[in-house]
Amino acid sequence: MSASLPGNRALPESQYDLSTYWGRVRHTAGITDPRTLFVGNAGLEQAKNALVAYKQGKIPSMTPELWRAKKIVDSTLHPDTGEPVFLPFRMSCFVLSNLVVTAGMLTPGLGNRGTIAWQVANQSLNVAINYSNSNKSSPLSWSKIAQSYFLAVTASCSVAVGLNSLVPRLKSLSPSTRLILSRLVPFAAVASAGALNVFLMRSEEMRTGIDVFPVRTKSKETTEKDGAPGVATATAPLQDTDDGAAEKSLGKSKKAATLAVAETAASRVFNSSPIMVIPPLVLVRLQRAAWLRKNPRWTTPVNLGLILVTSYAVLPLALAAFPQRQRLLAESLEEEFHGRGGEGGLVEFNRGI
């Protein structure tokens, strides 16, 4: 992200008001914009140079061009390493990377082998995305990554195979109801395994805690000068202050870590729910239409189109459900943080994606 670039001047966190849900949705829509995937190395270097010029005081205020540069950098670089995230595992590529796997899991008539194969593919992708976007200051060991991977795969396959076996036995239900239930089976597997994957991949955070910082708020005059809302906080990284100096952590909080991981897991469920529910139900209705009955070969393209549209519409809404930089009263954390909050007695921490 742009926070990893050199310079003593802090960049505004966003051009939108991140204290509101719709402000976070608009900000997240920029980070997940797939158009940033087509910016080559030359375009990325140009964007980085523009932001470095601002951070070094060579550019007086944020401009539309700088905001576009910040979007490119934030969606491409890892905030800890400053290196580009492997393209298929960026959040801007999240929908495209998941499209094939999601379509495969929603294929009607999958047997147990097919179900297991697609669940393994899905969890492999989840682990790769979680690892690529994880906090590199506390890296997971390869043994922990392997453990998380196998546990998540086992959970998703168990749920999917179990439900696939259960639905045909519900003889009291009508065939149309059983068809709808069979289309919803992947949701239960993906939702449960997706949430479990987050908890497993970030279990070390809950065990040791995450850094908590006192809230530092920019003045209205400064933020509006940069083209950002007056309520925006100092800068993207939690450890930076308004002048770019390092902010000292108040310590590590297990309660903050548990909240951060729980909110991230919930946002994954919010994201997968509409994608796994809406396209299958719409497809069942469309399959009753005369044009699709006469042209069954269009079923798969229609299904893929429904998944693609739903995914792009839902992703910013789900990721914005909770602030990425979460704030709460210091008194709600461990006793060591009581009375040590910043403005309004508040502390903040990075929830992660």
Side-chain angles (χ1 to χ4, degrees), residues 136-157:
K136 299 303 181 183
S137 63
S138 301
L140 286 171
S141 64
W142 285 109
S143 61
K144 177 63 69 174
I145 294 174
Q147 179 186 14
S148 301
Y149 171 75
F150 285 113
L151 286 176
V153 168
T154 300
S156 62
C157 291

Side-chain angles (χ1 to χ4, degrees), residues 181-232:
L181 289 177
S182 67
R183 297 290 176 85
L184 296 179
V185 165
F187 160 67
V190 169
S192 60
L196 178 61
N197 194 300
V198 173
F199 278 102
L200 291 172
M201 292 297 291
R202 299 180 60 177
S203 59
E204 189 67 14
E205 294 178 29
M206 294 187 290
R207 189 181 71 83
T208 62
I210 59 175
D211 285 322
V212 174
F213 301 87
V215 167
R216 296 284 186 259
T217 306
K218 268 191 175 182
S219 66
K220 182 179 180 65
E221 178 182 356
T222 302
T223 52
E224 289 185 346
K225 178 182 177 182
D226 286 334
V231 295

Side-chain angles (χ1 to χ4, degrees), residues 9 60 151 164-165 171 191 194-195 213 227 246 254 295 309 334 340:
R9 186 184 184 190
L151 286 176
N164 271 335
S165 302
K171 303 296 185 181
F213 301 87
K254 294 181 182 180
N295 301 280
V309 172
E334 291 85 346
R340 300 177 62 195

Side-chain angles (χ1 to χ4, degrees), residues 29-47:
I31 294 177
T32 58
D33 187 346
R35 290 175 297 180
T36 61
L37 298 172
F38 299 100
V39 176
N41 291 333
L44 176 60
E45 288 301 316
Q46 184 177 1

Side-chain angles (χ1 to χ4, degrees), residues 14-231:
S14 176
Q15 64 185 124
Y16 305 112
D17 184 357
L18 299 186
S19 67
T20 66
Y21 174 67
W22 287 112
R24 295 195 298 273
V25 169
R26 296 175 70 186
H27 175 76
T28 305
I31 294 177
T32 58
D33 187 346
R35 290 175 297 180
T36 61
L37 298 172
F38 299 100
V39 176
N41 291 333
L44 176 60
E45 288 301 316
Q46 184 177 1
K48 289 167 63 176
N49 291 336
L51 295 180
V52 169
Y54 173 87
K55 295 186 73 173
Q56 293 178 345
K58 298 178 181 179
I59 301 178
S61 61
M62 293 295 288
T63 63
E65 291 74 20
L66 282 178
W67 285 119
R68 285 194 291 271
K70 188 175 186 298
K71 181 175 79 169
I72 292 172
V73 171
D74 284 349
S75 63
T76 305
L77 302 186
H78 192 282
D80 293 333
T81 65
E83 297 296 327
V85 175
F86 187 45
L87 190 147
F89 306 145
R90 298 174 192 170
M91 294 310 295
S92 53
C93 197
F94 185 88
V95 171
L96 298 177
S97 296
N98 277 275
L99 180 62
V100 175
V101 176
T102 303
M105 290 188 294
L106 291 176
T107 302
L110 278 180
N112 286 343
R113 287 186 178 181
T115 299
I116 292 174
W118 282 113
Q119 290 298 332
V120 169
N122 178 58
Q123 288 310 310
S124 298
L125 180 60
N126 281 345
V127 169
I129 291 175
N130 287 338
Y131 176 76
S132 298
N133 295 278
S134 64
N135 189 325
K136 299 303 181 183
S137 63
S138 301
L140 286 171
S141 64
W142 285 109
S143 61
K144 177 63 69 174
I145 294 174
Q147 179 186 14
S148 301
Y149 171 75
F150 285 113
L151 286 176
V153 168
T154 300
S156 62
C157 291
S158 299
V159 173
V161 173
L163 291 179
N164 271 335
S165 302
L166 176 63
V167 171
R169 299 176 185 176
L170 302 176
K171 303 296 185 181
S172 60
L173 301 179
S174 65
S176 60
T177 302
R178 289 201 301 270
L179 175 62
I180 292 175
L181 289 177
S182 67
R183 297 290 176 85
L184 296 179
V185 165
F187 160 67
V190 169
S192 60
L196 178 61
N197 194 300
V198 173
F199 278 102
L200 291 172
M201 292 297 291
R202 299 180 60 177
S203 59
E204 189 67 14
E205 294 178 29
M206 294 187 290
R207 189 181 71 83
T208 62
I210 59 175
D211 285 322
V212 174
F213 301 87
V215 167
R216 296 284 186 259
T217 306
K218 268 191 175 182
S219 66
K220 182 179 180 65
E221 178 182 356
T222 302
T223 52
E224 289 185 346
K225 178 182 177 182
D226 286 334
V231 295

Side-chain angles (χ1 to χ4, degrees), residues 262-272 318-322 351-353:
E263 288 182 348
T264 302
S267 69
R268 295 298 173 85
V269 176
F270 297 157
N271 182 63
S272 62
L319 294 182
F322 307 100
R351 176 178 65 83
I353 298 179

